[in-house]
Every structure is written in structure tokens, then in C-alpha cells.
Amino acid sequence: MTWLSWRQQRTETLITAGLLALLGVAFIPSGIHMADLFAQQHIGRCVNRQTDACSFIIGNYANSGGFIRSLLTGGWLNLIPGLIGVALAVPLLLDLENGTVRLAWTQSITRRRWIATKGSLAIGTVLAAGAGFSVLFTWYQQPFDRIWGHWDEFGFEGIVPLAYMLFAIGLALGIGVLWRRTAAAMVVAFGAYVAARLFVQNWLRQRLVTPLSATWGPHASGPSISHAWVITEGPSDRAGHLFSDNSNVIQLCARASGTGPKGGRGLDPACMARHGAGFTHLVYQPASRYWEIQSLEFALFGGIALVLLAFATWRLLRAD
Amino acid sequence: MSAALETQGLGRRYGSQAALQDCTLEIPRGSVTALVGPNGAGKTTLLRLAVGLTRPSAGSVRVLGLDPQADAAEALPRVGFLAQEHPLYAGFTVEEMLRVGRELNPGWDEEAARVRVAGIGLPLRKKVRSLSGGQRAQVALTLALAKRPELLLLDEPVASLDPLARREFMQSVLEAVAERELTVVLSSHILADLERVCDRLVILARGRTQLVGSIEEIVASHRLLTGPRDEAENVSRMHEVVRESHAERQTTLLVRANGHVYDSHWAVHDLDLEEIVLANLGQDAARRREAVLS
Amino acid sequence: MALIEFHLDSRSGVPTYLQLVHQVRHAVQLGILGPGDQLPTVKEVVTSLAINPNTVLKAYGALESEGIAEGRRGQGTFVKTSAPSPLGDDVRKLRRSLRNWFGQARAAGLDEQAIEALLSEQRSSARQVA
């Protein structure tokens, strides 16, 4: 049964390995290069230092990442866990669509054992791919994470990539056992994966744990945001209400050119203070919460995946 | 010893449609039974119930004394099944298909499988998708036979095959029956050659059993009688009339005779199996028409 | 290799097993098969004719009860006698009366078809219903 499961998912396993190999070929040399550069240029000394010189050095360093780095920051690689998860569901879905399950279920092994063996292999492959994916990018990101913290490429590091892949295969199997048309199920599952990822990334993630906030006046300094995830930051009144860009105060106090001492929009601080807008309000997740949020997102995607997989298993056991 | 296949009031519904209903039959070991009936009669449903691919909506089914779903681990190694489309993995070679059989069946006889495949002249390295229909059927049959089952269920095994492939396929099946005590149930909507190959018959129509018995008995008990029209009543009182047709002066009756038919006014003829099956199926169709019209 | 080969006439109306019985008897009468000769194995017959093995077993069983053949466990079925069957005398008498009857039928003016109709009518109604 193990041989059969491997043989049936041979193509998809090769595609997955190929994809990961391709990523490796692209990112490993670049990663080594960036790590070397980090050491040579002593970037470490500039971490957490707000001087102009350091800003310049760090900016330069980031640009040295070139095309490869932009592949990562561009976000399209987020689709890969979805592709891999959906692909590894295909052998089982084709079996159902073609009716070849009737061959497997009338040999000498029970349906339960068939599902267990084939399912574990597919899921095991998915988890291994997820682990490989995470290891590759977590490693690649090390120098950048030392500068800015782990939040920027959240979906590529830690444990969440495994949950994403599990989620994708769960979607494909859950939809496919109901709707016995493999190609259509794959498309719908992938679409749902993308929608869910976007939703979580842009809206839900910051609400998984209530973020911290702080408001402080012009002569104070806010909390340390070293390696923190800044959700919003901007001029506010004493109570912490932010001023939007087209509010009267901002329009009034905008300077014609350059950036002010507080950076950003070029606002005249004296003008702002006169209008009661001399404060800064910050909403953020501190670095210390990184693993908490990783775990919550992992549990979210992983939990839904388990429900979908349990459903698919139940339907298969009852299928006739 | 338990029957090879036994059903008690067996039924299966799909939504509001009854694919099979009220099916009670017993198929003894060592027989080759034909399951005949028009398309949609419930033949495939009955076979799927027997092998545990489907569960009953009503009644029960037992194979070799076991419940095909509850006792699947025990029953599956002893029951061979060949689905209508001869399902095989299209991208696998013949050799890999044999490996599938070996991996999934502890009772697999690799040598017998190889001998069979060589005897038919199937190239081991060829992919399944490039085999002819007859060759595919033979590979599928090898998978069903090489695990040495006691009961073999074949769903329309030769429907898609040309006459030569058909003959070769049945030869293989019957050889296996000759070699060891193998019970075979095969469904077919083709009636020719049945008498040659099978010794028992089950007629299904619209999900119900019409006739069950040994072919010898069935052929012996059906007669075609021709005689005077006005005496038709006498005969129909004594024997069950399966089909009747009247000319102005003469009546032809196809009866399931209840005892010896002896009447000097009536000519008695034998019938072959095909005619008997068609008459029984026609009887059902006629009854259905009447029910619709009345 | 088998000593003799069977053939089937599926249109003849004669049951398969009887055709096999007749062909064995015929072979014995012609001297093609003698005492100790082995009849084709069930498997050989099934392979060449694609018929139900039970039919072959039935034919061989009938031959055994007529005393023409005997089955030996684990070895096969073998011809027992070279003499005409014990029913030889009856067969000779029946053959003679049939010859006479045919002569009478033709003298009465019956043609082939009329004779055939008469024969099948009497054959059917003479047969017992099970």
C-alpha cells in the first residue's frame, strides 16, 4: 500500500520537490551573499541606531538584495503553499473521479486502511514541504530580521507555512470529495486559499491579539518599537485620535517641502501644537508577541485544515 | 457450508429511486450464475452490495457467510470483483499493475499472475492506456483472480469487447473455475452464449428478481404451446402463462409448466434460454404497460 | 496433448453434455479410443470450448454410469470398455424399427419437412417435465 501511494503521487511529489529546489537555487546563493555582506559591512552595529549614517547604510544593504529579494517581498511566493497543497490532493481526487477507487477498495485491504495510508503520505509530504519552505526562508531572512524584526515576511517563517499547506490540501480534499470534478475542485480550493490568506494577512492577523497602543506628546518619546510590528502610527490629539491626511489640521500645517524632525509628512510642529495635534499615537505588536501570533495563526489554519480533512475522511468512508 | 452469495429482502435506494428492492436469492458454491436484465435493472447495484462498495437501504447481503462491509477485512481477500469499466491505473505499466495486486493482497499468487499474463501475451512494460480493450479486460481479470478468491463477481465483463476478446476472456474465467472450486456471478445484458457458460440464472428487471434457478430446470420447465384459441383457458388454468399471443383461430402460449403438459390438441415445443429470458422480461414490461394504462 | 477433441453444435438443440457423451461413444465405437485411454481433462475441454466445467463433469458422470468410462481420483477420466455399450442390443432393435418407420413414412408420401415436424412434436411431448 505504501508503494502504491508513493507511485500514485509520484508526479506531484516531483513537482513539489522541483518547486522547492527551484526556490533553493534562487535563494540560497543570494542568502549566503547577503549574510556575508552583513558581516563585512558590520551592519550589526547599526541595528537599533537611529543615526542618518546608519539609515543610509541599512538602506544600501537592503537594496543589495536585488531581484531575488524583491521576489520575496513582492508577495507572489505566498501562492506556493497553496499550489503545493492543492497539487498533492490531486492523486486522490483523480482516483475518485475515474472510479479507480473501486479497484483499490475491492482488493484485500479495508477502505479505512487505504485512506489512512494514502492520506498520511500526502499529508506527510505536504508537511515536509512546508517545513522545507519555512527553513529556507527563515534562514534567508536572518540578516533582515536582525534589522527589522520577524514581522515583514511573517507568512514565510516559523510554523505558519506548514499550516498554510495543510489548509490548502484540506480545502482541495474537502471540496473534491463532494464535487467529483478534480480540475474544478482544484481551482475553487486554490481560490479559497488565496482569499483566506489575504483576509488573514490584511485584517485578521493584527486582531488575533489586541494590539498595544500608546500616545505621547512632542517632548516625550514613545515606547521602544525595536523589531515591533507597527500597525498604525501618526499625529494625534491628546486622547489618541489620529488625524487623517485630509483633515483640516494636517492641510493647514503641511510644510511645502522636506521632512520634519519627526520624519514623515513634513508637518510644522509649532503649528500642530497650536491646534492640539502635537501628539503621536501608535498601535503596534511588540516583538515579544511574535510567537504568540504565529501560534494563533497556525492554530487557525491548522484547525480548519483538520476539520476539512476529517470531513473528507468521513465522506470517503461513506462513499458509494 | 454457507452459500456463496445470499440476500434477504435486499434493497438499495438512491434518493427516491429504488435501484434494487425486495431481492431474496441464494447462489450456491461452485456454480456459474448469470445475472441478466435490461440496463438499469439493478445488476450493478446487486454486485456492488455484494462486494461492500455500497451499503443496503433495506435487508441484508452475505458473501461466503460474511457481511461485506462489517467483515470487510475477512471477506475482501476471498471475493474477486471486476467493475464494468475495468478500472486500472492508466499511467501504470502491466508490471506495475501486477505489483498493485501483490501489495494489496496478502493471498496474491505472483507466479500464477505472471504465467497468466505471459500466456495471454501481454507485454509487461506496456502502459495500461496503450492496451486494447481486450487486453485491459485480461489485466483486470488477472487482478481479480490472482488473489485466489472463492467468489468472483463480474459486472458486464465482456460488454465492451469484440467477439474474440470475449471468447478469450470467458475461457480464462472458466479455466479458473475448472482449476479450483470458484463460484462465479456475472452480469450481462447479452443473452447469447449464456447456456454454454452458466448453470444458474437470475433475471432482474426494474430492481426486482423475476426468476431464479438452475438453467437446466428453467429450460425444462418452460414450453411453447400452440393450439385452438377457444381452449386457451384450459391451459392457462393449469400452468402459468408467461407470454401469450392470439391469432383468429390459434393461440400461442409460452408457459412455465406446472407438471406434465399433455393434451392432444396442443403442440408442445422446446425453447432455448434466450427466448425464455426475453419472454420473462417481456412479461414484466407488459405488466408495467398495463399498470400505466389502467 | 489430448487424444480427441470435442466440438459443439449450438444450433442442434441437443444439450451440450449429451453432445460430449455422443462424441465419446462415437470415438469408442470407431476404435479411436480404447480401454485405458484418457479422456480430455475438464480443463482442456473448458479451454477449447469455453463451456461450463460442470457440463463436462455431467457428461463424464453420464459416461461413468453407462459404464463407458471411469474416473480415477487425482488422475482423470479413462475409457473402460471397447465393446459397444451395454445398450447395444436395444440400440440395434431401435435402429431397425426406425429404418422401417422411415420407409413407411416415405411410402405414405411424407417429405423431409413433414417427417421432421412429426419427429420434434413427438419428441417434445414424450419428454417428462421436471
Side-chain angles (χ1 to χ4, degrees), chain B residues 135-195:
Chain B
Q135 288 174 315
R136 236 181 290 206
Q138 288 286 10
V139 174
L141 182 61
T142 305
L143 263 118
L145 280 179
K147 74 190 210 193
R148 311 196 75 75
E150 292 165 47
L151 169 64
L152 183 63
L153 305 172
L154 306 170
D155 191 359
E156 303 261 3
V158 294
S160 60
L161 302 182
D162 63 73
L164 180 60
R166 205 178 288 168
R167 172 59 68 95
E168 286 175 345
F169 185 92
M170 287 317 302
Q171 236 164 32
S172 301
V173 172
L174 293 166
E175 266 174 34
V177 176
E179 274 170 19
R180 55 179 194 269
E181 200 198 278
L182 175 66
T183 311
V184 177
V185 178
L186 66 106
S187 77
S188 179
H189 64 266
I190 301 173
L191 300 177
D193 277 356
L194 274 184
E195 223 164 330

Side-chain angles (χ1 to χ4, degrees), chain B residues 30-32 167 170-171 174-175 177-179 195-199 216 220-221 223 257 259-261 267-270, chain C residues 8 10-11 16-17 42-43 46-55 58 120-121 123-130:
Chain B
S31 59
V32 179
R167 172 59 68 95
M170 287 317 302
Q171 236 164 32
L174 293 166
E175 266 174 34
V177 176
E179 274 170 19
E195 223 164 330
R196 195 182 166 108
V197 164
C198 304
D199 39 40
E216 205 180 325
S221 65
R223 292 276 180 275
H260 187 58
V261 178
V268 183
H269 308 279
D270 286 337
Chain C
L8 270 193
S10 47
R11 295 256 138 236
T16 309
Y17 88 97
V42 174
K43 188 161 175 207
V46 164
T47 306
S48 64
L49 295 180
I51 57 169
N52 192 311
N54 293 332
T55 310
K58 192 172 174 192
S120 53
E121 175 201 298
R123 183 187 289 132
S124 306
S125 51
R127 208 174 285 160
Q128 284 284 333
V129 174

Side-chain angles (χ1 to χ4, degrees), chain A residues 1-4 7-8 10 95 98-100 102-111 317-320, chain B residues 12 48 51-55 73 76-77 81 85 87-89 91-92 96-97 99-100 103-106 147:
Chain A
M1 185 64 226
T2 323
W3 171 82
L4 178 60
R7 176 64 182 83
Q8 281 192 285
R10 192 171 68 179
D95 236 348
N98 296 341
T100 47
R102 276 188 230 127
L103 174 63
W105 292 350
T106 53
Q107 300 303 304
S108 298
I109 60 167
T110 60
R111 207 185 281 198
L317 283 174
R318 304 200 65 227
D320 34 29
Chain B
R12 178 73 173 105
R48 286 201 191 153
V51 80
L53 279 176
T54 281
R55 107 210 43 249
L76 280 175
F81 180 79
E85 337 72 64
L88 296 170
Y89 300 121
F92 280 41
E96 284 174 321
M97 282 313 309
R99 183 148 181 205
V100 172
E103 300 262 335
L104 297 185
N105 295 294
K147 74 190 210 193

Side-chain angles (χ1 to χ4, degrees), chain C residues 20-99:
Chain C
L20 300 182
V21 169
H22 292 163
Q23 286 172 46
V24 170
R25 275 211 221 121
H26 198 63
V28 168
Q29 280 172 356
L30 288 180
I32 298 173
L33 286 177
D37 284 337
Q38 187 180 15
L39 296 177
T41 62
V42 174
K43 188 161 175 207
E44 280 167 339
V45 182
V46 164
T47 306
S48 64
L49 295 180
I51 57 169
N52 192 311
N54 293 332
T55 310
V56 183
L57 290 172
K58 192 172 174 192
Y60 286 8
L63 287 167
E64 261 188 80
S65 55
E66 283 180 27
I68 299 178
E70 64 179 352
R72 293 182 207 157
R73 281 196 75 90
Q75 292 180 37
T77 312
F78 296 80
V79 177
K80 206 169 155 190
T81 169
S82 62
S85 68
L87 300 167
D89 274 347
D90 295 326
V91 171
R92 271 196 291 270
K93 284 192 198 130
L94 284 166
R95 192 179 288 128
R96 211 180 303 134
S97 56
L98 248 189
R99 215 182 298 136

Side-chain angles (χ1 to χ4, degrees), chain A residues 52-309:
Chain A
D52 282 346
C54 267
S55 295
F56 179 73
I57 291 172
I58 284 177
N60 230 29
Y61 175 76
N63 288 335
S64 320
F67 173 68
I68 298 293
R69 174 143 173 81
S70 67
L71 275 180
L72 182 58
T73 53
W76 288 103
L77 294 180
N78 273 307
L79 295 178
I80 298 215
L83 289 172
I84 291 178
V86 167
L88 283 166
V90 165
L92 201 149
L93 295 184
L94 281 180
D95 236 348
L96 278 175
E97 193 179 358
N98 296 341
T100 47
V101 277
R102 276 188 230 127
L103 174 63
W105 292 350
T106 53
Q107 300 303 304
S108 298
I109 60 167
T110 60
R111 207 185 281 198
R112 199 162 291 182
R113 214 181 118 195
W114 181 86
I115 292 172
T117 312
K118 213 164 147 105
S120 338
L121 190 65
I123 290 172
T125 311
V126 156
L127 291 175
F133 187 87
S134 171
V135 162
L136 174 66
F137 288 111
T138 307
W139 167 81
Y140 177 84
Q141 276 288 107
Q142 256 187 349
F144 304 101
D145 287 355
R146 273 187 70 185
I147 302 169
W148 290 298
H150 294 269
W151 299 98
D152 285 333
E153 308 305 334
F154 189 88
F156 289 87
E157 302 186 42
I159 51 176
V160 289
L162 285 88
Y164 297 155
M165 295 219 185
L166 207 60
F167 177 67
I169 195 175
L171 279 172
L173 289 176
I175 295 172
V177 296
L178 276 181
W179 191 18
R180 303 279 184 97
R181 305 176 79 194
T182 308
M186 280 169 69
V187 167
V188 172
F190 186 70
Y193 165 83
V194 170
R197 285 290 313 274
L198 285 172
F199 172 67
V200 169
Q201 186 155 306
N202 297 333
W203 191 87
L204 187 60
R205 185 179 295 155
Q206 61 205 171
R207 292 170 173 80
L208 286 173
V209 184
T210 316
L212 299 178
S213 45
T215 317
W216 64 93
H219 305 293
S221 57
S224 161
I225 52 167
S226 147
H227 297 166
W229 174 17
V230 172
I231 297 170
T232 37
E233 183 185 11
S236 73
D237 63 13
R238 178 181 295 266
H241 299 126
L242 288 160
F243 290 101
S244 66
D245 279 351
N246 47 12
S247 62
N248 293 333
V249 182
I250 302 295
Q251 301 283 5
L252 211 58
C253 301
R255 264 215 268 246
S257 62
T259 57
K262 297 279 188 213
R265 295 183 195 84
L267 299 166
D268 179 2
C271 166
M272 298 288 284
R274 256 181 282 129
H275 290 87
F279 298 86
T280 312
H281 183 71
L282 172 73
V283 180
Y284 70 113
Q285 299 281 13
S288 56
R289 286 201 182 161
Y290 176 71
W291 281 110
E292 190 181 344
I293 296 181
Q294 273 267 336
S295 307
L296 285 170
E297 194 162 322
F298 178 84
L300 175 69
F301 280 101
I304 296 177
L306 286 179
V307 168
L308 289 166
L309 290 170

Side-chain angles (χ1 to χ4, degrees), chain B residues 238-259:
Chain B
M238 286 204 305
H239 307 288
E240 185 189 341
V241 174
V242 179
R243 187 184 69 201
E244 59 188 293
S245 64
H246 305 277
E248 207 182 296
R249 303 220 189 118
Q250 190 199 44
T251 290
T252 305
L253 298 169
L254 200 157
V255 300
R256 203 172 297 149
N258 209 354

